[in-house]
Amino acid sequence: MIDLTDAELQSLTWEPVVSSWLGSRFLGDVPVTSGKTTWSRLREVQGSLDLTVPRWAAEQEGEAARDWSPAGDAPHPPSHHWQTLAVAIRVTTQVTGRSWLQQCGRFLITRWTAGIDTVTITGASAAGQKILDDRFWSPQPTLPGGSFGSELRRLVPSTIGMLIDAGLVDRGVPSMSWPESRMSAVQEIASTWPARLRETGDGMIAVLPPLGEWTPGLVLTDGESGTVVEATPEGSREGIYNVVVARGQSTTDAGVPDFQGVAEQSTGPYATAAYGSVVRFFSSPLITSQHAAAQTAATLLATELAPATTLPVVCASDPRITLDQPVTIRTHTPDQRTVERPGWASGFSLPLTHASDMTLDVEIA
């Protein structure tokens, strides 16, 4: 992560760098009028892109203007025939003149609309969308002697790069079959391992250990020299579970699961004694031991409680923020008391042209 002072952060300028690819074929750079990338770890496909392109513009300085409407032209850079946009921003701090290229993701174009003056484009993060789209034609059995890691490598399409963190302890998978959804199979492996699935800025899948103890990271503060515009807590019971029951799918003769783990929130405002029990069930044939059931339940509980502790923030655009980024939101009350809320970035929306503030969701630790 690039270290920046508040003065440097407030002096940042950037320009989008967007290139179009059709497989390994480079189709050209795409001019950008405005746009944003949005990421959320709560989405099935975690990233999305909204882009506005001028209808008529030169691709390179000094060249003649061309029509950026893809109508009738399959290889056109912003068309939807499997074109992928590599999105980055070239960031410069005016205080020191430092400059760097920040990768924002790889996005499969899902829709475009041509107007008189502009072309609007929407996209989805390419790795997740390809996994979601590429369903199995028939149930897929696991391979004999396979493991969680080898199954993931087999299930994720070979065109998508994947990194598996060395800190994850691999173990064998039982004989079973995956149904038609490739995405569901990949997510089931990650949930049961347990592991986090993330897409990297260069379009790969990263398989990471669950979040551990919170450690200090970025500090975003309000006030005259700060970058936080608004941080307003909100609350809802919707989507909050404080008990998770994780089970294997083998049972005794009486129909009782052979392996079952239960994780229950016992402290804080969402403890079952104070909040009541809201139960989520999870079952998988991958759970083949009591330890695996308990681990899976504990990890899923943390995920299910995340919406209960999310703080929405509006702040100056900060290109360093990524999913799971440790961050502290420091605000001040009307009587100038300091309130600090440490947590992790669970979602954000970043403008590509630095024309406005960014929105950030912080899961409070």
Side-chain angles (χ1 to χ4, degrees):
M1 182 184 69
I2 303 291
D3 289 326
L4 295 172
T5 65
D6 285 343
E8 286 180 307
L9 185 59
Q10 291 174 333
S11 74
L12 293 182
T13 61
W14 62 64
E15 59 177 347
V17 180
V18 178
S19 58
S20 178
W21 296 82
L22 187 59
S24 60
R25 178 184 173 188
F26 176 60
L27 300 182
D29 292 324
V30 178
V32 175
T33 301
S34 63
K36 64 179 180 180
T37 61
T38 301
W39 292 89
S40 173
R41 68 189 193 196
L42 300 180
R43 294 178 176 177
E44 194 169 41
V45 178
Q46 294 174 352
S48 64
L49 173 70
D50 295 279
L51 205 60
T52 301
V53 173
R55 176 67 187 266
W56 292 90
E59 184 172 343
Q60 302 291 338
E61 187 175 351
E63 295 181 352
R66 61 176 292 185
D67 185 0
W68 287 93
S69 167
D73 187 358
H76 201 286
S79 191
H80 63 286
H81 296 88
W82 212 237
Q83 278 88 330
T84 298
L85 297 180
V87 179
I89 48 178
R90 182 172 289 111
V91 186
T92 304
T93 170
Q94 299 303 305
V95 173
T96 63
R98 282 194 297 169
S99 181
W100 69 94
L101 195 66
Q102 184 79 29
Q103 299 294 333
C104 297
R106 302 291 187 269
F107 299 90
L108 187 69
I109 296 174
T110 56
R111 184 181 181 87
W112 59 267
T113 303
I116 296 175
D117 299 317
T118 60
V119 179
T120 58
I121 298 166
T122 59
S125 50
Q129 189 64 47
K130 289 176 181 178
I131 294 171
L132 183 67
D133 288 345
D134 191 7
R135 298 172 68 90
F136 300 127
W137 296 3
S138 59
Q140 295 292 304
T142 55
L143 294 182
S147 68
F148 278 48
S150 67
E151 275 298 291
L152 270 183
R153 291 188 177 93
R154 187 174 72 90
L155 296 177
V156 171
S158 59
T159 55
I160 300 172
M162 185 168 60
L163 300 170
I164 298 180
D165 192 281
L168 289 168
V169 179
D170 208 356
R171 61 181 189 270
V173 296
S175 176
M176 56 174 283
S177 289
W178 302 110
E180 290 83 3
S181 174
R182 188 184 300 267
M183 176 64 83
S184 295
V186 168
Q187 290 178 330
E188 185 170 340
I189 291 175
S191 295
T192 310
W193 199 328
R196 289 176 291 143
L197 291 175
R198 297 290 181 265
E199 292 187 54
T200 65
D202 54 2
M204 299 180 69
I205 292 289
V207 189
L208 307 169
L211 289 174
E213 293 293 322
W214 183 86
T215 55
L218 290 176
V219 177
L220 304 180
T221 186
D222 65 357
E224 184 175 346
S225 60
T227 60
V228 173
V229 177
E230 183 180 0
T232 306
E234 60 184 24
S236 169
R237 288 184 67 94
E238 184 177 358
I240 298 172
Y241 297 90
N242 58 2
V243 179
V244 174
V245 180
R247 298 168 171 165
Q249 292 184 354
S250 62
T251 61
T252 66
D253 292 340
V256 177
D258 285 327
F259 307 108
Q260 175 171 298
V262 179
E264 177 182 356
Q265 184 67 16
S266 59
T267 61
Y270 297 99
T272 53
Y275 190 77
S277 295
V278 187
V279 183
R280 183 200 165 183
F281 292 94
F282 176 84
S283 67
S284 171
L286 295 173
I287 297 177
T288 56
S289 70
Q290 191 60 39
H291 176 70
Q295 260 196 321
T296 301
T299 303
L300 287 176
L301 177 63
T303 301
E304 297 302 333
L305 283 173
T309 59
T310 297
L311 176 68
V313 176
V314 178
C315 60
S317 294
D318 189 335
R320 299 172 298 171
I321 292 175
T322 59
L323 289 183
D324 303 329
Q325 173 79 49
V327 61
T328 297
I329 305 300
R330 181 181 295 155
T331 57
H332 299 84
T333 64
D335 59 358
Q336 292 306 301
R337 287 185 296 109
T338 301
V339 178
E340 290 195 348
R341 300 182 179 94
W344 295 272
S346 61
F348 62 90
S349 185
L350 179 68
L352 294 176
T353 54
H354 206 186
S356 59
D357 295 325
M358 74 181 294
T359 59
L360 169 66
D361 290 330
V362 178
E363 177 193 332
I364 302 303

